[in-house]
């Protein structure tokens, strides 16, 4: 039904009309979703100019609405010369100031539309502390939720998943349910896919479970697909590799919610001889970029979001340059986010050989909070030579925390405490990589806990917190 390159996903619809078996007449929601998916099939191949033109067509309706109903945006849009009736151009768009998390905190409810247009459903609050630890509340609608589902299905289709297969999710579950040894079972993959197809069952396990128990659970469940956080993969894959735990049916791992390190991809190949497909999304804006079906880089989901990568002067970055990620939701009329600075950085890539016109992100570099601050005040992405750690000692988990301008704590979970010689070698690897003679303080833990939301950061800075 849906043709995408050489891939032809099969949607197995449940008949809803008595006597109708084939071809199936879908219900209203299913029909709508199939119609949108059909458009996404075409739009991914549009050239960048055509994509931009359609984005601006959609954006104009959001801007007109924001100008009419939200004084905060009216002032900003007027000051930037982007008023209804005035032509929206890339140049005028770049005059609109970036929206920071502090702006959203300060503005509070005044960023919300008092009245929504018809047929967008009820606004739903989404509270997120994002990548900077500064909580904000955004609002989504039934329309933004619908698009969330559409891009979930696109992601499955891009990576050629067999919907009749089984899906295991090792994630954070709010009430700490999905506990080992059983976890939770679900008859289907979830609400998104249920709109257009029947699926196999799903199994869920809390990401707070130790790697050895995750491995045992995974081997017992033997799923076709695994979805989890990037930082959960290395310990799990390493444990399976070292203990020769095979998951015979497992054919793909999908990650989301954090920066995926190259090490996680190579460990998955070593442990199970399979690849990883990564998702770049945010709670506030939804799907931002999906890994290309044929490469390890990402395609921006331009039908959902206008995504800009900007340099320090606010100019668009060229391929090969890294800049801040600034996003505008194209479908949110409850609380529009216009040129919202997410706090992430990404590198712009060249056009993709796969032929899709959706812009390319070569890599997503992580978050502002994770910058290293040198005593001069200069900040940069830290590298700490973690690829060499296991040549020095059997380190199972680490977290590097910048405590002050001069002091860095190296938290280690190791099979045994390091001896003086090992500590000295580790110190020299880390300091060489960081590029400054910080004072390193080693501490040994049994476990390094995740944040309340189940995420994990291998480097974080406490400066300014
Ligand atoms: Zn591609």
């Amino acid at each position: 039904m849906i043709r995408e390159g050489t891939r032809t996903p099969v949607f197995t619809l449940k008949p809803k009309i008595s006597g109708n078996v084939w071809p199936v007449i879908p219900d209203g929601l299913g029909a709508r979703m199939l119609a949108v998916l059909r458009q996404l099939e075409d739009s991914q191949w549009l050239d960048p100019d055509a994509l931009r033109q359609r984005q601006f067509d959609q954006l104009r309706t959001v801007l007109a609405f924001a100008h009419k109903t939200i004084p905060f945006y009216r002032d900003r849009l007027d000051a930037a010369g982007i008023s209804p009736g005035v032509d929206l151009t890339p140049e005028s768009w770049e005059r609109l100031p970036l929206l920071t998390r502090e702006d959203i905190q300060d503005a509070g409810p005044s960023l919300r539309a008092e009245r929504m247009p018809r047929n967008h459903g009820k606004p739903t609050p989404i509270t997120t502390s994002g990548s900077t630890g500064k909580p904000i509340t955004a609002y989504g609608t039934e329309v933004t939720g619908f698009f969330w589902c559409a891009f979930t299905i696109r992601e499955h289709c891009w990576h050629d998943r067999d919907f009749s297969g089984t899906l295991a999710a090792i994630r954070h579950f709010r009430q700490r349910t999905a506990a080992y040894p059983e976890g939770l079972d679900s008859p289907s993959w979830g609400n998104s896919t249920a709109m257009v197809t029947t699926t196999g069952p799903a199994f869920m396990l809390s990401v707070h479970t130790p790697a050895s128990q995750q491995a045992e659970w995974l081997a017992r469940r033997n799923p076709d697909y695994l979805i989890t956080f990037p930082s959960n993969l290395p310990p799990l894959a390493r444990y399976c590799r070292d203990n020769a735990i095979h998951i015979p049916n497992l054919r793909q791992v999908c990650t989301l919610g954090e920066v995926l390190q190259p090490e996680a991809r190579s460990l998955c190949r070593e442990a199970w001889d399979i690849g990883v497909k990564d998702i770049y999304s945010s709670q506030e804006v939804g799907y931002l970029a999906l890994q290309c079906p044929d490469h390890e880089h990402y395609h921006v989901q331009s039908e959902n979001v206008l995504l800009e990568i900007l340099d320090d002067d606010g100019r668009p970055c060229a391929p090969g340059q890294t800049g801040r990620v600034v996003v505008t939701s194209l479908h949110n009329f409850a609380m529009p986010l216009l040129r919202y600075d997410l706090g992430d950085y990404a590198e712009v890539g060249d056009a993709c050989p796969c032929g899709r016109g959706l812009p390319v992100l070569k890599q997503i570099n992580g978050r502002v909070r994770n910058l290293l601050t040198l005593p001069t005040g200069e900040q940069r992405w830290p590298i700490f030579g973690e690829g060499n750690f296991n040549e020095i000692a059997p380190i199972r988990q680490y977290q590097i925390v910048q405590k002050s301008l001069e002091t860095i704590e190296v938290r280690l979970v190791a099979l045994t405490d390091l001896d003086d010689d090992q500590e000295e070698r580790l110190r020299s690897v880390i300091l060489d990589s960081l590029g400054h003679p910080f004072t390193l303080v080693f501490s040994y833990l049994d476990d390094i806990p995740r944040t309340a939301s189940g995420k994990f950061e291998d480097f974080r800075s406490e400066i300014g917190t």
Side-chain angles (χ1 to χ4, degrees):
M1 167 161 230
I2 292 205
R3 190 166 293 279
E4 181 242 348
T6 57
R7 297 175 176 80
T8 309
V10 177
F11 294 131
T12 315
L13 291 163
K14 255 197 207 134
K16 302 279 169 75
I17 294 175
S18 63
N20 168 237
V21 177
W22 179 84
V24 172
I25 303 169
D27 65 7
L29 199 55
R32 276 202 222 175
M33 182 54 79
L34 288 171
V36 168
L37 291 172
R38 184 68 193 76
Q39 294 175 68
L40 295 182
E41 273 306 299
D42 289 342
S43 58
Q44 64 185 327
W45 306 105
L46 290 172
D47 67 57
D49 286 345
L51 275 168
R52 173 56 68 105
Q53 191 188 331
R54 282 159 178 77
Q55 286 184 306
F56 270 32
D57 288 345
Q58 175 60 35
L59 184 54
R60 274 187 204 96
T61 71
V62 180
L63 296 180
F65 175 78
H67 188 275
K68 188 171 163 199
T69 59
I70 306 172
F72 175 94
Y73 281 129
R74 186 182 309 142
D75 295 346
R76 285 194 166 198
L77 290 165
D78 283 343
I82 313 173
S83 301
V86 177
D87 197 24
L88 175 66
T89 63
E91 293 72 32
S92 60
W93 178 244
E94 283 174 25
R95 290 199 297 267
L96 187 68
L98 302 189
L99 181 73
T100 64
R101 293 184 83 83
E102 289 82 358
D103 289 336
I104 298 175
Q105 286 175 325
D106 293 346
S110 69
L111 273 185
R112 288 183 62 187
E114 283 174 22
R115 276 195 313 279
M116 295 229 300
R118 276 182 301 136
N119 300 331
H120 282 251
K122 261 180 57 178
T124 317
I126 306 159
T127 298
T128 160
S129 61
S131 53
T132 48
K134 296 170 186 161
I136 60 160
T137 301
Y139 284 81
T141 66
E142 284 176 18
V143 170
T144 60
F146 182 88
F147 276 107
W148 179 281
C149 295
F151 290 98
T152 301
I153 299 169
R154 171 188 260 182
E155 202 266 340
H156 289 314
C157 294
W158 272 19
H159 300 306
D160 209 13
R161 301 213 175 100
D162 172 3
F163 290 115
S164 68
T166 54
L167 176 74
I170 303 181
R171 298 179 63 172
H172 175 67
F173 298 93
R174 216 168 280 278
Q175 276 85 36
R176 291 284 178 105
T177 52
Y180 183 81
E182 289 309 317
L184 275 181
D185 291 359
S186 162
S188 77
W189 292 10
N191 295 338
S192 305
T193 43
M195 287 188 205
V196 294
T197 190
T198 51
T199 67
F203 313 122
M204 290 157 273
L205 184 72
S206 167
V207 74
H208 300 272
T209 310
S212 58
Q213 294 179 348
Q214 287 187 32
E216 190 281 323
W217 178 84
L218 205 56
R220 186 157 35 94
R221 295 300 194 180
N222 192 21
D224 293 284
Y225 305 105
L226 167 67
I227 183 165
T228 192
F229 293 138
S231 62
N232 187 51
L233 263 189
L236 175 60
R238 200 179 290 123
Y239 184 89
C240 288
R241 181 197 62 189
D242 295 350
N243 294 278
I245 295 175
H246 302 291
I247 321 290
N249 285 350
L250 190 62
R251 42 185 140 163
Q252 212 177 71
V253 176
C254 171
T255 50
L256 81 173
E258 292 172 324
V259 176
L260 178 70
Q261 306 289 351
E263 184 205 18
R265 291 189 190 273
S266 53
L267 279 166
C268 273
R269 278 191 287 271
E270 288 172 25
W272 306 306
D273 196 24
I274 56 171
V276 179
K277 308 294 184 185
D278 191 35
I279 293 171
Y280 179 37
S281 65
S282 84
Q283 288 176 286
E284 308 94 298
V285 190
Y287 282 84
L288 304 174
L290 297 177
Q291 188 174 322
C292 174
D294 305 325
H295 300 89
E296 288 187 353
H297 55 228
Y298 303 77
H299 283 290
V300 174
Q301 299 302 288
S302 298
E303 302 93 339
N304 185 53
V305 64
L306 177 66
L307 186 147
E308 304 169 80
I309 307 292
L310 303 178
D311 67 17
D312 287 342
D313 297 324
R315 302 286 309 154
C317 289
Q321 286 184 308
T322 295
R324 61 182 60 237
V325 180
V326 172
V327 294
T328 300
S329 171
L330 294 176
H331 305 287
N332 191 331
F333 288 77
M335 180 170 150
L337 294 172
L338 307 181
R339 302 199 92 202
Y340 170 42
D341 183 347
L342 267 181
D344 290 347
Y345 284 74
E347 180 184 336
V348 178
D350 288 310
C352 183
C354 77
R356 286 177 181 79
L358 299 170
V360 172
L361 300 181
K362 187 145 190 296
Q363 57 183 16
I364 293 137
N365 299 51
R367 298 169 156 167
V368 169
R369 177 167 52 166
N370 296 348
L371 289 173
L372 174 76
T373 308
L374 297 173
T376 57
E378 182 203 344
Q379 289 192 309
R380 66 174 184 224
W381 294 106
I383 48 168
F384 26 85
E386 69 277 16
N388 300 316
F389 285 9
N390 275 311
E391 290 168 18
I392 298 169
I395 292 164
R396 285 309 184 203
Q397 194 185 15
Y398 63 86
Q399 185 179 51
I400 295 178
V401 182
Q402 181 162 24
K403 309 293 282 187
S404 72
L405 287 176
E406 289 294 357
T407 308
I408 287 181
E409 183 184 0
V410 180
R411 298 175 175 170
L412 298 172
V413 179
L415 291 182
T416 54
D417 286 4
L418 275 58
D419 62 32
D420 290 350
D421 175 55
Q422 288 171 317
E423 269 196 11
E424 208 39 58
R425 287 165 63 201
L426 193 59
R427 186 187 309 278
S428 120
V429 164
I430 294 172
L431 290 181
D432 277 351
S433 304
L434 291 175
H436 177 82
F438 291 100
T439 301
L440 295 192
V441 179
F442 290 93
S443 58
Y444 296 92
L445 295 88
D446 292 327
D447 183 41
I448 302 171
R450 295 175 167 272
T451 63
S453 61
K455 304 259 179 97
F456 183 82
E457 294 156 311
D458 58 2
F459 180 88
R460 64 188 177 88
S461 174
E462 292 182 352
I463 290 177
T465 59

